[in-house]
Amino acid sequence: MRTIGLIGGLSWESTVVYYQIINQRVRERLGGSHSANSLIWSVDYTTVEDLIFADRWGEVSTLLTGAGRSLEDAGADLLLVCSNTFSRVSDDVERAVSVPVLHIADILGAEIRARGMRRVGLLGTRFTMEEPFYRDRLAAHGLDVVVPRREQRELVHRVIFEELVRGVLSDASRDAYTKIIHDLADDGAEGVILGCTEIELLISDKDSPIPVLPSARLHAEAAAGFALAD
């Protein structure tokens, strides 16, 4: 079994999901009391949050590439940046190490194509929804990505940073997200990417009129599959 290296704490609320899903998949595959060989480098979220709001992405890159090198040095055979927003520096991490880095948007793109979808909605932080680094990566998979209206994007972004990364799950926010997903469906979205790893703590298939694509879960499952591949 290969060793998975997780660059986490982005936030730790969703890093827990990664750890749980990876170990569940390994146990399902191998049986008994098996669990994954894994390493986690968990950053202080306030540090990186302050950096991205100050547009100091170069410092984010330095911090996360250093984490990637440390995980590789410790024996990781595969790396994941456990975030959609912070996947903006995934390519930097990949250039800094000699082991594979599973890009979260590539995992989503492959899954969406496998499901036969072409037009999908995207919920995430303002960075993920509005900047090109994520949508362009999905477009390279032949996908048409639609995002909510400006005021809806602001609501989605605010709930992530004021509630979800702090472990707050609000029924009012769930209802607001559900309304936004309905609007994306009306705009032709065949599915919706939960493009912030914390959103799937709040939203599931039962809250959506179209299939949800949980980014953390799919990313973690892909990592487990890689670790167990012959």
Side-chain angles (χ1 to χ4, degrees):
M1 187 194 312
R2 296 180 179 91
T3 298
I4 301 169
L6 303 173
I7 301 176
L10 303 168
S11 67
W12 72 260
E13 299 284 345
S14 62
T15 304
V16 171
V17 174
Y18 274 87
Y19 186 72
Q20 181 181 46
I21 296 300
I22 288 169
N23 282 292
Q24 285 175 343
R25 294 297 170 267
V26 168
R27 185 169 59 191
E28 288 168 5
R29 173 80 172 273
L30 300 181
S33 56
H34 280 286
S35 58
N37 292 331
S38 61
L39 300 164
I40 300 176
W41 187 284
S42 188
V43 304
D44 177 358
Y45 190 71
T46 293
T47 300
V48 290
E49 184 180 64
D50 289 347
L51 289 174
I52 62 175
F53 277 98
D55 198 28
R56 292 159 61 182
W57 283 97
E59 292 173 63
V60 173
S61 176
T62 298
L63 181 63
L64 298 192
T65 55
R69 291 192 194 98
S70 295
L71 287 168
E72 182 181 20
D73 290 345
D77 301 303
L78 163 74
L79 297 180
L80 284 74
V81 176
C82 300
S83 169
N84 293 275
T85 297
F86 291 93
S87 72
R88 177 170 169 168
V89 301
S90 284
D91 288 344
D92 296 344
V93 175
E94 187 168 35
R95 285 188 288 268
V97 299
S98 59
V99 297
V101 178
L102 286 188
H103 196 293
I104 193 168
D106 288 339
I107 300 304
L108 268 294
E111 175 69 17
I112 294 164
R113 290 294 299 268
R115 296 193 190 191
M117 300 176 186
R118 290 297 180 271
R119 184 173 175 86
V120 291
L122 173 62
L123 301 180
T125 66
R126 186 170 61 241
F127 309 101
T128 302
M129 291 186 289
E130 297 181 358
E131 296 183 18
F133 70 92
Y134 195 85
R135 289 182 298 159
D136 285 357
R137 193 96 181 196
L138 293 170
H141 289 267
L143 302 176
D144 180 17
V145 180
V146 292
V147 297
R149 299 188 303 272
R150 179 183 298 275
E151 66 274 13
Q152 293 177 326
R153 296 198 301 270
E154 289 300 319
L155 183 148
V156 171
H157 179 87
R158 178 186 59 75
V159 167
I160 290 168
F161 284 102
E162 294 182 8
E163 298 178 17
L164 301 184
V165 301
R166 301 177 184 183
V168 177
L169 303 177
S170 159
D171 288 339
S173 295
R174 181 179 294 107
D175 291 343
Y177 272 45
T178 297
K179 171 61 168 63
I180 292 169
I181 295 171
H182 275 273
D183 289 347
L184 291 171
D186 290 343
D187 197 22
E190 301 166 90
V192 59
I193 298 171
L194 306 185
C196 174
T197 52
E198 288 81 17
I199 294 177
E200 59 205 78
L201 301 173
L202 182 69
I203 296 293
S204 65
D205 277 310
K206 65 181 177 60
D207 304 304
S208 174
I210 51 179
V212 300
L213 296 146
S215 56
R217 174 175 292 273
L218 292 169
H219 203 197
E221 289 176 344
F226 184 94
L228 293 169
D230 292 337

